[in-house]
Amino acid sequence: ALPNAAEAFRCFEPYEDLQEYARAAAWYPQSCEDEVVRMLAELRRRTPEFPDDREAAFNAEQNALVAKNAEHYYRIMGRGDRESWNVRDRHMVETLERLVQHHGPRARAIVWEHNTHIGDARATDMAAAGMVNVGQLVREEHARDDVVIVGFGSYRGSVIAGRAWDAPMQRMPVPPAREGSWEDVFHRAGQRERMLICDEGMRSDLWRPRRGHRAIGVVYHPQLERHGNYVPTVLPDRYDAFLYLDETEALHPLHVPPDFKRKEVPETFPTGV
């Protein structure tokens, strides 16, 4: 048993959910930061005691790390999108690096995330806002030839998303892309399906403009297509390859009937494409 783990969980007991903890941490000086930090430190100190079960030791330490980083995220989420966003993406990269290290020098990983997390933030307006993401951090950590970033885009279709965080998932239309966006350029060029390799051939002035590139995530609002939903992007700098599909169709979550005609709300977060 870990005394510090029990202490950390007792600290969170008064709060019904993490949103309530976030509100409390924003208004009062006390938090559970010290408790989760001590829990992680104790687990790391005791890891050598379990040399015959590396997987269990890794899982225990990772769960403690998730608790520590989650506490940090919820404690600062009220301060603004930039700082809380960076905490999330740095946690993703920290977890990725731990997994690769755990599985040895020959380990390889495939990370499936939204374009906003995967595409290098330095090729977008995110950098000017002080935001980083997984694609940027992994490129900075590893040799360029050791990382391949693939982006996706479509001109129209449908998607599974929610109107807000924690809102029920629903099937939404994806309207034709905004005029002048990368998706619109490929559509007007008559491209139905195309894989672009962002090599030296895409370093010409033709590919250098910073055009809007549609962003669809957990939360999506089709009605904002004219004024939002697009990230200014230098495409060949953001990705190593880009897959364009003229029209896409929403996926069907395996645990929900395809027609979504259930009376009760699915107990899940909405998932984007």
Side-chain angles (χ1 to χ4, degrees):
L2 297 177
N4 286 325
E7 182 183 1
F9 285 113
R10 280 196 301 271
C11 182
F12 288 106
E13 282 180 354
Y15 308 100
E16 291 186 5
D17 54 43
L18 288 172
Q19 282 75 20
E20 183 180 342
Y21 173 76
R23 291 190 293 269
W27 288 98
Y28 303 101
Q30 64 266 30
S31 73
C32 299
E33 179 182 11
D34 292 341
E35 286 81 357
V36 292
V37 169
R38 284 195 294 268
M39 176 176 64
L40 178 59
E42 182 181 8
L43 271 169
R44 285 176 169 168
R45 179 180 58 81
R46 295 187 57 179
T47 294
E49 299 177 14
F50 308 98
D52 298 329
D53 198 344
R54 291 181 61 252
E55 197 69 28
F58 176 85
N59 289 340
E61 184 177 338
Q62 182 62 32
N63 285 330
L65 180 66
V66 168
K68 169 186 169 296
N69 289 345
E71 188 281 330
H72 185 199
Y73 170 73
Y74 281 100
R75 181 161 36 87
I76 68 170
M77 66 182 298
R79 301 178 191 173
D81 290 340
R82 178 182 65 183
E83 192 173 358
S84 59
W85 171 278
N86 289 346
V87 167
R88 290 172 59 210
D89 276 52
R90 291 187 187 280
H91 169 72
M92 295 175 193
V93 173
E94 184 178 10
T95 298
L96 173 62
E97 297 294 344
R98 280 176 42 79
L99 284 167
V100 171
Q101 182 179 13
H102 176 68
H103 289 286
R106 296 180 62 84
R108 300 293 183 268
I110 298 175
V111 180
W112 181 272
E113 291 188 285
H114 298 133
N115 288 335
T116 320
H117 293 290
I118 284 294
D120 193 325
R122 295 170 296 182
T124 75
D125 62 347
M126 296 170 65
M131 300 169 70
V132 298
N133 67 0
V134 172
Q136 172 186 342
L137 295 173
V138 173
R139 275 182 171 176
E140 291 175 340
E141 182 69 23
H142 298 276
R144 186 62 181 261
D145 291 343
D146 292 339
V147 179
V148 177
I149 298 178
V150 181
F152 291 81
S154 64
Y155 180 71
R156 64 158 65 89
S158 57
V159 70
I160 300 297
R163 298 288 180 181
W165 283 99
D166 293 342
M169 66 172 70
Q170 57 183 287
R171 183 187 178 98
M172 299 182 186
V174 177
R178 181 196 297 175
E179 183 177 355
S181 65
W182 283 112
E183 290 82 357
D184 177 60
V185 167
F186 289 122
H187 175 74
R188 288 189 288 110
Q191 301 293 333
R192 298 288 300 174
E193 300 176 357
R194 184 171 183 180
M195 169 70 84
L196 295 171
I197 305 300
C198 302
D199 55 15
E200 292 301 320
M202 291 184 67
R203 301 301 172 187
S204 68
D205 292 343
L206 175 66
W207 298 101
R208 304 317 297 174
R210 182 168 288 201
R211 298 180 179 273
H213 176 22
R214 179 151 45 199
I216 299 178
V218 171
V219 176
Y220 180 56
H221 299 280
Q223 70 275 16
L224 298 181
E225 281 288 305
R226 184 173 296 276
H227 303 292
N229 297 341
Y230 286 79
V231 178
T233 295
V234 179
L235 199 71
D237 292 346
R238 191 172 181 185
Y239 306 114
D240 296 298
F242 182 72
L243 177 63
Y244 172 77
L245 303 170
D246 200 57
E247 186 169 354
T248 55
E249 183 178 350
L251 297 175
H252 300 305
L254 295 178
H255 64 294
V256 179
D259 59 6
F260 286 91
K261 292 181 179 177
R262 302 197 317 174
K263 293 183 179 179
E264 60 189 54
V265 176
E267 293 183 358
T268 180
F269 287 100
T271 53
V273 173

